[in-house]
Amino acid sequence: MTFDLKDWSAERLDRTEQALSAWVPTNAPADLGDAMRYAVLDGGKRLRPLLVLGACEAVGGNAEAALRAGCAVELIHAYSLVHDDMPCMDNDVLRRGKPTVHVQFGEATALLAGDALQALAFELLTPADARIPEHTQARLCRLLALSAGHAGMAGGQAIDLAAVGKALTESELRHMHRLKTGALLQTSVMMGAACGEPDAQALAGLREYGAALGLAFQVVDDILDVTADSATLGKTAGKDAAQDKPTYVSLLGLARARAYASELLEQARAALRTTGLADTRALLALAEMVVHREN
Amino acid sequence: MTFDLKDWSAERLDRTEQALSAWVPTNAPADLGDAMRYAVLDGGKRLRPLLVLGACEAVGGNAEAALRAGCAVELIHAYSLVHDDMPCMDNDVLRRGKPTVHVQFGEATALLAGDALQALAFELLTPADARIPEHTQARLCRLLALSAGHAGMAGGQAIDLAAVGKALTESELRHMHRLKTGALLQTSVMMGAACGEPDAQALAGLREYGAALGLAFQVVDDILDVTADSATLGKTAGKDAAQDKPTYVSLLGLARARAYASELLEQARAALRTTGLADTRALLALAEMVVHREN
């Protein structure tokens, strides 16, 4: 029987949206809650939560922990977009087809909403009353903190800032993207795994899968920035070139960038085979979706 | 024998400074690490770490956990100052007698450094190899996330933003400060307590102590904003009035604000007596210091 990602995703996306809507506050002071909900709800592919849920299912982990972990990673992703779009960073006005948070709510509220979303991510991971062992909670916090901070996403953004207008080598570009986008995607997989107790072999395979998928995501992002239009992307197309940012396309050209994305998909597939896990079809289908997506 | 806060603090401040210097990275990409260290090191009274350490000692808790918890709270405090000082918020150029982070490193790096400091706080609380039980790690993350986010510090800042130029009642002002400054100070006490296993009575007393101290801190801050000069404060004096922000002084007048601070100190003292803990002298002395400080 073939695996249908759309079928598999539908129920999980539904669960994720409901959880996010329940957990991102409606009653935060002033317009903070509105800005947080605007930044998170009704938008996004929810790739990271799906990776968490897929990895958790592959290792037979705690589903409630995975739902919280998936939402927590999504909040970190959402906050990074809010801050990234601000005038002092990318100064972008369009995101997921809507005005960006600072355009809608003002810069100060956008700054605070991003900050509060990061805190909320760790709040979701540490419920006092839920059926999630505290050692799982601690491990999830550890993984998320490491991938969001100076050695992960924030560090990658700092490299990105410093790289504008500079020529990077392929290895420098890869390092930047491993931190900036790859760390959080890989961590999504590892957080899903941390909801169960996989053996060392499975863990190593999942880590490799996550690394390949994370990099593939960015290579395809760079390709789409050139080949797609803003309406399809839901964000401003062509902005890498406009801002003179180094990308896989500027470095390798379009054809080689596409070949590299296919190669990374092969790496992800091979890594899944080494895990020894019985059913990794969802994770495989997610990697294929990342490489073949059109927005 | 009388208790000497200066003696008690000296070794603990030393330990805190060394830990912060060891844990805030020197090797983060581009100038991210420099900005993070600039924001955290060589400055600040370290009131929050001292509260964590004092509360941990009062309950006989795990000293290594308390050192990490104290540094984590200080990182949250430091990141909030970095973001608060940015042009879209308070637009301040002086902090702890030095140019603010965005003046020194640019707005984009200041934004990222604040974000990375928040993540680092949770990283410090969840070491993989340290002798801190994972249930303690989870509890510390929970306390910190709650007090930093929409229901704590970030929420208080949102009220603050919305309150500029408005007349607040005393109860609205108190609510704002309980969130904006009080939550993190009270949580410092509760995180210190969470490093041990205090009984319910001790926990309740410490919670009340933390609430009184947190509010007292802000009342005194409002007083000093009027009575001290910028050189003594190490930050711009008189800016509340200049920005037409409601304060305890604008609401109560100077004399009644001072009386209120004394009353809160009495509340803190009384709360400590209800804890049943053998030695709360450091916590008492810290409350006295908060109320009687000159900067």
Side-chain angles (χ1 to χ4, degrees), chain B residues 13-288:
Chain B
L13 285 172
D14 200 43
R15 221 184 324 150
T16 302
E17 292 305 323
Q18 284 183 29
L20 285 170
S21 182
W23 288 333
V24 183
T26 52
N27 60 349
D31 54 359
L32 182 64
D34 291 339
M36 292 169 78
R37 294 179 73 81
Y38 184 88
V40 173
L41 303 180
D42 305 321
K45 294 179 279 289
R46 311 304 190 201
L47 171 60
R48 291 156 192 81
L50 290 177
L51 286 169
V52 176
L53 296 174
C56 174
E57 290 175 24
V59 304
N62 178 325
E64 183 170 342
L67 186 62
R68 286 182 173 271
C71 291
V73 184
E74 190 68 13
L75 295 186
I76 294 289
H77 174 57
Y79 112 68
S80 80
L81 299 180
V82 174
H83 283 183
D84 243 10
D85 287 336
M86 285 181 66
C88 68
M89 299 279 289
D90 282 358
N91 194 18
D92 216 327
V93 298
L94 185 68
R95 169 73 66 183
R96 294 172 178 169
K98 299 187 300 185
T100 47
V101 176
H102 67 91
V103 170
Q104 192 75 11
F105 293 90
E107 283 183 55
T109 298
L111 178 58
L112 285 180
D115 290 345
L117 286 171
Q118 180 166 198
L120 182 59
F122 292 97
E123 188 185 327
L124 289 192
L125 293 180
T126 53
D129 54 349
R131 294 150 304 231
I132 303 172
E134 285 185 318
H135 70 260
T136 304
Q137 298 187 15
R139 283 169 203 180
L140 292 172
C141 286
R142 178 181 312 146
L143 287 165
L144 190 60
L146 284 168
S147 69
H150 65 93
M153 188 180 75
Q157 288 174 306
I159 302 178
D160 195 15
L161 270 182
V164 172
K166 279 194 194 158
L168 295 189
T169 66
E170 189 183 338
S171 124
E172 289 169 333
L173 187 67
R174 191 183 305 122
H175 178 61
M176 172 176 99
H177 286 312
R178 277 209 191 283
L179 299 187
K180 191 184 165 200
T181 342
L184 204 59
L185 287 163
Q186 186 181 31
T187 286
S188 302
V189 178
M190 301 317 282
M191 286 175 80
C195 296
E197 299 283 347
D199 61 26
Q201 186 194 339
L203 215 51
L206 288 173
R207 186 174 293 116
E208 222 178 299
Y209 159 83
L213 176 136
L215 201 50
F217 183 89
Q218 188 59 49
V219 174
V220 174
D221 230 43
D222 287 355
I223 293 170
L224 291 173
D225 187 68
V226 177
T227 59
D229 58 31
S230 299
T232 309
L233 287 180
K235 61 182 181 182
T236 311
K239 73 176 182 178
D240 293 333
Q243 296 180 345
D244 198 15
K245 284 195 176 179
T247 72
Y248 280 100
V249 176
S250 69
L251 197 74
L252 304 176
L254 198 53
R256 278 179 60 210
R258 282 184 170 136
Y260 188 37
S262 300
E263 189 190 308
L264 289 165
L265 176 56
E266 259 332 294
Q267 286 181 21
R269 196 191 309 266
L272 285 178
R273 279 195 296 263
T274 70
T275 59
L277 295 168
D279 185 357
T280 55
R281 288 176 302 169
L283 293 175
L284 176 58
L286 286 166
E288 287 167 347

Side-chain angles (χ1 to χ4, degrees), chain A residues 13 23 27 38 81 125 164 185 191 201-202 210 238 243:
Chain A
L13 285 172
W23 288 333
N27 61 350
Y38 183 88
L81 298 180
L125 294 180
V164 171
L185 288 163
M191 286 175 81
Q201 186 194 340
Q243 295 180 347

